[in-house]
Amino acid sequence: MKTLNAQLAEVEKGQVKITCEFSEALTQQHGFFHAGVLTSIVDSACGYAALTMMPNDVEVLTVEFKVNFIKPAKTDKLIAIGKVLQSGRTLTVCEGYVYDSNEEKLIAKMQATMITVQQ
Amino acid sequence: MKTLNAQLAEVEKGQVKITCEFSEALTQQHGFFHAGVLTSIVDSACGYAALTMMPNDVEVLTVEFKVNFIKPAKTDKLIAIGKVLQSGRTLTVCEGYVYDSNEEKLIAKMQATMITVQQ
Amino acid sequence: MKTLNAQLAEVEKGQVKITCEFSEALTQQHGFFHAGVLTSIVDSACGYAALTMMPNDVEVLTVEFKVNFIKPAKTDKLIAIGKVLQSGRTLTVCEGYVYDSNEEKLIAKMQATMITVQQ
Amino acid sequence: MKTLNAQLAEVEKGQVKITCEFSEALTQQHGFFHAGVLTSIVDSACGYAALTMMPNDVEVLTVEFKVNFIKPAKTDKLIAIGKVLQSGRTLTVCEGYVYDSNEEKLIAKMQATMITVQQ
C-alpha cells in the first residue's frame, strides 16, 4: 500500500474504497497506470471488504481473482471499490471495481474469492 | 518493470521468463512478495510471450486474466513464466506460472487473454 | 436451450433474462441443478445481452467466462440474468447472475468476455 | 453425466479423462457442441481428479472456474481431461482441457478451484 501511495478512503460493512494517486513509478509504456497497480489496489479493497464481515481474530487471503481490463487507466487518481457479494464461514466472494478520479469511467472489474484463516 | 526490479531473463518463441528480486517495497503484511507483484510480472511474461508470436508492428494488451494463489510467495526471487496456449489473429490465450527462486514451488497460476492491436 | 427447457423471459437493451424449469435430467448427485446447466443458461443470457447492443448482421461468441458457485441450486426454476458492463466494437464484457425462482437467492455469478464476429 | 452421454474413460491419481459422444441435443446454433456441454464435462473431470487425491469420506464441490473457448467444438467426440495442479486440505486447484476426438485440437481450457467437504 505504501509503495503504491494507496489510501484507505472509506470503510463500511461489506464495502471498502481505496484511492491511489498517480506517480511515474506506477505507469506502463503509455504513461497510464500499470495493470498490476490496478489489480493490487482492487485486490486490497476486496480483501478489506471481506474482513469487515469477519470477527476480529481472523485474516483474509486471496484464493484467486479474475480481472477484466475495460478502459485505459488514464487518470490522475484511481478509485478502487471492493464489495462483498457473499460472505460464508470459509469463503467470501467479492466484486471489485476500479474507476477514474471522477468515479465515472469503469477501468477494470474484478471477481474474487477470499478465504478466512485463523491468525 | 523498473519499479519491480524485474528482469527479462529468457525469450523464445511462445515463451518468456521474467525474474524479480526481493525488496522490502514489494512485500505484504507477512514480509512475502505481494500478490500484486506476482500478478504484474506474470502478466508481463504472458504479454511478452504473446508478442513473440506477432509481426513487429503490433502491440499486445491484456483483455483479462485469472490468477490462483497457490503457495505463500516466500522466496528471495520470483520466476514468472508466460506461455502461449493459442495464438490467433485477434486474441491470444496464455498460461502464466510464478515459481520460487529454485523453480520448484508453484506460487501462482494465471490464465490470460490478450488482444493484438495495431500501434 | 431446448435440451435445458430454457425460456427467453425478458429482453431489453443491455439486459436479458432466461428461465429454466427443473427436470430430473438437469440434476447432479444431490438432486439440485447441475453446475453445467447454470453455466449454460447464464452464458446464453450474457451472449444475448451482448447481442442487444449490436447491429443486426453480427454474431456474438463467448471468448471466456468465470463463474463463482455461491449457493446450492436448490429451486424449481432458475432465473439467469445477463447484463452488459461494457460494450466495445470487438469485445463486450458482461456480468451474469443466476437466482432461484423468487429472484432472491444468488446461486452463481459470472463475469464474461464476448467477441463480435461478422456472420 | 447421463444426460450428456458422458463416460469416465480413465482415472489415475490426480488425473481423470471423460469422453462425450456427439448428439443433436448437445449442439448450439452451428451444430457444434454447446459451450455448456464442454464446461460440464471438463468441470466433472476436474472434480473427479480432485477426488482422487482425497480420503474416501469426503466430497468435492466446485468453488469457481474460468474457461477460455479456443476453437469451435467441431468433432464427433469430446475428450475432457482434468488435472490436479495443487491439492490442499481445504482447496484444490485444477487445470482442465477439452480436446477433439483425436486429442489434438485444444477446444477449451479451464482453471478451477474445488473445495473439500465432509459428507
Side-chain angles (χ1 to χ4, degrees):
Chain A
M1 294 276 285
K2 207 170 61 178
T3 307
L4 299 177
N5 302 321
Q7 304 277 342
L8 199 55
E10 286 176 26
V11 179
E12 51 187 286
K13 201 172 163 62
Q15 185 166 327
V16 164
K17 184 188 288 189
I18 293 178
T19 61
C20 173
E21 301 278 347
F22 185 83
S23 87
E24 288 295 332
L26 307 178
T27 59
Q28 32 81 292
Q29 70 269 34
H30 299 138
F32 306 157
F33 279 99
H34 191 278
V37 177
L38 274 64
T39 304
S40 295
I41 65 161
V42 70
D43 174 39
S44 294
C46 286
Y48 284 123
L51 260 186
T52 64
M53 310 297 283
M54 309 281 169
N56 282 332
D57 58 342
V58 302
E59 200 177 3
V60 161
L61 298 177
T62 303
V63 172
E64 60 82 41
F65 54 57
K66 178 236 201 297
V67 188
N68 274 82
F69 297 94
I70 292 173
K71 296 270 190 193
K74 194 181 176 176
T75 181
D76 57 342
K77 190 168 73 168
L78 292 175
I79 298 180
I81 297 172
K83 289 183 192 184
V84 173
L85 193 62
Q86 161 68 20
S87 177
R89 202 168 49 86
T90 308
L91 298 177
T92 299
V93 181
C94 293
E95 308 258 28
Y97 302 84
V98 183
Y99 292 99
D100 69 343
S101 58
N102 297 319
E103 233 172 287
E104 278 171 5
K105 186 175 67 170
L106 183 61
I107 292 170
K109 173 72 214 311
M110 173 179 278
Q111 187 169 320
T113 311
M114 307 284 168
I115 191 165
T116 307
V117 291
Q118 298 301 317
Q119 281 177 322
Chain B
M1 295 278 283
K2 206 170 62 179
T3 307
L4 299 176
N5 301 322
Q7 303 277 343
L8 199 57
E10 286 176 26
V11 180
E12 51 187 284
K13 200 171 164 64
Q15 184 166 329
V16 164
K17 184 188 289 191
I18 293 177
T19 61
C20 172
E21 301 279 347
F22 185 83
S23 89
E24 288 294 333
L26 306 179
T27 59
Q28 32 81 293
Q29 71 269 32
H30 299 138
F32 305 157
F33 279 100
H34 191 278
V37 176
L38 276 64
T39 304
S40 294
I41 65 163
V42 70
D43 173 39
S44 294
C46 286
Y48 285 122
L51 261 186
T52 65
M53 310 297 283
M54 308 282 167
N56 281 332
D57 57 341
V58 302
E59 199 178 3
V60 161
L61 299 177
T62 304
V63 172
E64 60 81 41
F65 54 57
K66 177 232 201 300
V67 188
N68 274 81
F69 298 94
I70 291 172
K71 295 271 191 194
K74 194 180 176 176
T75 181
D76 57 341
K77 189 169 73 168
L78 293 175
I79 298 180
I81 297 173
K83 289 183 192 184
V84 173
L85 193 62
Q86 161 68 21
S87 177
R89 201 168 48 86
T90 308
L91 298 177
T92 299
V93 182
C94 294
E95 308 259 28
Y97 303 84
V98 182
Y99 292 99
D100 68 342
S101 58
N102 297 320
E103 232 171 291
E104 277 170 6
K105 186 175 68 170
L106 182 61
I107 293 171
K109 171 73 214 309
M110 174 179 276
Q111 188 170 318
T113 312
M114 306 286 169
I115 192 165
T116 308
V117 291
Q118 299 301 320
Q119 281 177 323
Chain C
M1 295 277 285
K2 207 169 63 179
T3 306
L4 298 176
N5 301 321
Q7 303 276 342
L8 198 57
E10 287 176 25
V11 180
E12 50 187 285
K13 199 170 165 63
Q15 185 167 329
V16 164
K17 184 188 288 188
I18 293 177
T19 61
C20 172
E21 302 278 347
F22 185 84
S23 87
E24 288 296 332
L26 307 179
T27 59
Q28 34 79 292
Q29 69 268 33
H30 299 139
F32 306 157
F33 279 99
H34 191 279
V37 176
L38 274 64
T39 303
S40 295
I41 65 161
V42 71
D43 173 39
S44 294
C46 285
Y48 284 123
L51 260 187
T52 64
M53 311 297 283
M54 308 281 168
N56 281 332
D57 58 341
V58 301
E59 200 176 5
V60 161
L61 298 178
T62 303
V63 172
E64 61 79 42
F65 54 58
K66 178 234 201 296
V67 188
N68 274 82
F69 298 94
I70 292 173
K71 296 271 190 193
K74 194 180 176 177
T75 181
D76 57 341
K77 189 169 72 169
L78 293 175
I79 298 180
I81 297 173
K83 288 183 194 185
V84 173
L85 193 61
Q86 162 67 21
S87 177
R89 201 167 50 86
T90 308
L91 298 177
T92 299
V93 182
C94 294
E95 308 259 27
Y97 302 84
V98 182
Y99 292 99
D100 69 342
S101 59
N102 297 319
E103 231 170 291
E104 278 170 5
K105 188 175 66 171
L106 182 61
I107 292 170
K109 173 71 216 308
M110 173 179 277
Q111 187 169 318
T113 311
M114 307 285 169
I115 192 165
T116 307
V117 290
Q118 299 301 319
Q119 281 179 319
Chain D
M1 295 277 284
K2 207 169 63 179
T3 307
L4 299 177
N5 301 321
Q7 304 275 343
L8 199 56
E10 287 176 25
V11 179
E12 50 187 285
K13 201 170 164 63
Q15 184 166 330
V16 164
K17 184 188 288 190
I18 293 177
T19 60
C20 173
E21 301 277 347
F22 186 82
S23 89
E24 288 295 332
L26 306 179
T27 59
Q28 32 80 293
Q29 70 269 31
H30 300 138
F32 305 157
F33 278 99
H34 191 278
V37 175
L38 275 63
T39 304
S40 294
I41 65 162
V42 70
D43 173 40
S44 294
C46 286
Y48 284 123
L51 260 186
T52 64
M53 311 296 284
M54 308 281 168
N56 282 332
D57 58 341
V58 302
E59 200 177 4
V60 161
L61 298 178
T62 304
V63 172
E64 60 80 42
F65 54 56
K66 178 235 201 298
V67 188
N68 274 82
F69 297 95
I70 291 172
K71 295 270 190 193
K74 193 180 177 176
T75 181
D76 57 341
K77 188 169 73 167
L78 293 175
I79 298 180
I81 296 172
K83 289 183 191 183
V84 173
L85 193 62
Q86 162 68 20
S87 177
R89 202 169 48 86
T90 308
L91 297 177
T92 299
V93 181
C94 294
E95 307 260 28
Y97 303 83
V98 183
Y99 292 99
D100 68 343
S101 58
N102 297 321
E103 232 171 288
E104 278 171 6
K105 186 175 67 171
L106 182 61
I107 293 171
K109 172 73 214 310
M110 174 179 276
Q111 188 169 319
T113 311
M114 306 285 169
I115 192 166
T116 308
V117 292
Q118 299 301 319
Q119 281 179 321

